[in-house]
Amino acid sequence: MKKLSKMFIALTCVGALLAGCGSGNTAQTQTPAPAQKPAQEQSNSGSTTKTSGEPVTAVGSTALQPLVEQAAKDFMAKNAGAQIQVQGGGSGTGLSQVASGAATIGNSDIFAEEKKGIPANELVDHKVSVVGMAAAVSPKVKVDNLTKQQLIDIFTGKITNWKEVGGDDMKITLVNRPKSSGTRATFSKFALDGKEEAEGITEDSSGTVRKIIAETPGAIGYLALSYFNDTVKALKLDGVEANAENIVTNKYPVWAYEHMYTKGEATGDAKAFLDFILTDEVQKKTVTELGFLPITDMKVERDAEGKVTQK
């Protein structure tokens, strides 16, 4: 028994020594696994920036909404974990919400200085594109051009039938935007010389305005060029077509900067998103595909008072 015990003890010691040697070899040859990137830095299509994952809300202009929505979709696809929420409501709503801190970004077709009650000095302007706006009618309306005075007379209620401007004997139905709308402010300022619009159908959404115009015989309203399709047509103004060539020189004067305001300097994901919108990827592709004009294409500049200067 004593011999067996000694043999058992000896075998146990040898095993321990072998185990210790094996452990040492493993430590020398084992390669640490690569560190996993945080989820917010990863993407199926490659990450463009580090994001915090804090929600960014962009609220306001429905004219600008299609561009911001597409840019947000593309930004989130490149930056897993980013959360960009886009809502309409009109430029006035966007400006008031960003000023109060209820939204991260306020989308607007007008300068903050143009809106009463907005502390413009607290907001930082990020101009992301330019958009033209035009009087919109159903393709069934047999009028293609209006003088500015005819347009003013229609929207102020002096002209009520299309036959008065060379069209068919058909009642004119006005489709307006609410007073909070930046599209309305721009159209009123540069197409109607600031004249007050007569009562008509009032709708907050550009998409709804387009639908009503398309489906209502004799209807006329106004839309950003980004909303025109084959269901509505844009009228020329004083013989000038609303297109990019005429807008960049101000030959066609009914256009607006598309602003994305932040309260103070943009930071975090909001800054990353705004920087993304100004990249060539968005400006030279998404912006033009959706009917907007890149800021860099403009040959003139216009300030909040409407003063135009050559670049």
Side-chain angles (χ1 to χ4, degrees):
M1 288 294 293
K2 288 181 179 181
K3 288 183 179 181
L4 287 173
S5 297
K6 288 180 179 179
M7 288 178 63
F8 180 75
I9 292 169
L11 288 171
T12 301
C13 290
V14 171
L17 287 170
L18 289 173
C21 292
S23 176
N25 289 340
T26 301
Q28 292 171 3
T29 60
Q30 185 175 14
T31 302
Q36 186 74 7
K37 287 184 178 181
Q40 64 266 28
E41 294 186 56
Q42 298 179 56
S43 164
N44 292 333
S45 57
S47 177
T48 59
T49 187
K50 183 177 179 179
T51 60
S52 67
E54 294 181 3
V56 172
T57 53
V59 181
S61 165
T62 60
L64 180 55
Q65 191 171 351
L67 173 58
V68 181
E69 285 179 339
Q70 185 59 54
K73 181 180 177 182
D74 294 341
F75 181 79
M76 289 187 289
K78 290 175 174 293
N79 299 282
Q83 300 180 60
I84 312 294
Q85 301 166 2
V86 184
Q87 301 169 20
S91 297
T93 298
L95 290 170
S96 61
Q97 289 210 14
V98 73
S100 69
T104 319
I105 297 170
N107 299 329
S108 176
D109 310 325
I110 59 175
F111 286 88
E113 292 89 339
E114 297 180 77
K115 191 69 176 175
K116 290 182 181 179
I118 298 298
N121 61 319
E122 297 178 10
L123 304 181
V124 176
D125 187 5
H126 309 269
K127 297 184 186 74
V128 297
S129 66
V130 166
V131 67
M133 297 170 187
V137 297
S138 163
K140 293 180 181 179
V141 172
K142 296 177 182 177
V143 172
D144 297 315
N145 174 69
L146 291 172
T147 67
K148 178 179 278 192
Q149 191 57 55
Q150 287 174 330
L151 195 63
I152 291 171
D153 289 346
I154 286 173
F155 276 94
T156 57
K158 292 180 181 178
I159 293 177
T160 58
N161 194 298
W162 284 107
K163 69 180 180 181
E164 298 177 64
V165 290
D168 291 339
D169 184 2
M170 184 186 299
K171 177 188 173 184
I172 294 174
T173 299
L174 297 179
V175 185
N176 296 327
R177 298 292 304 280
K179 292 185 178 180
S180 63
S181 165
T183 303
R184 173 172 174 157
T186 299
F187 190 79
S188 175
K189 186 173 184 176
F190 298 108
L192 305 180
D193 288 344
K195 301 295 190 299
E196 185 68 24
E197 297 175 29
E199 290 296 321
I201 300 169
T202 302
E203 287 292 340
D204 183 58
S205 164
S206 295
T208 305
V209 168
R210 180 178 62 192
K211 186 173 187 295
I212 291 172
I213 293 170
E215 296 176 354
T216 306
I220 183 171
Y222 41 87
L223 291 165
L225 296 186
S226 52
Y227 273 89
F228 279 89
N229 58 20
D230 58 4
T231 68
V232 292
K233 69 176 180 180
L235 297 183
K236 295 177 183 177
L237 179 62
D238 289 325
V240 180
E241 186 177 348
N243 60 26
E245 181 182 359
N246 292 328
I247 290 170
V248 296
T249 61
N250 199 49
K251 184 178 180 181
Y252 182 83
V254 191
W255 57 270
Y257 291 112
E258 293 292 22
H259 311 261
M260 296 180 74
Y261 280 97
T262 54
K263 190 169 186 178
E265 294 294 338
T267 59
D269 289 3
K271 183 180 187 307
F273 180 49
L274 290 166
D275 288 346
F276 174 70
I277 292 178
L278 293 174
T279 61
D280 284 350
E281 177 183 350
V282 177
Q283 290 289 310
K284 293 184 177 180
K285 185 174 184 292
T286 311
V287 166
T288 55
E289 285 178 353
L290 293 179
F292 298 85
L293 283 74
I295 288 289
T296 52
D297 285 3
M298 295 301 292
K299 297 178 181 179
V300 297
E301 291 181 328
R302 192 160 68 193
D303 63 18
E305 285 72 44
K307 182 181 178 181
V308 175
T309 55
Q310 296 293 321
K311 277 191 174 182

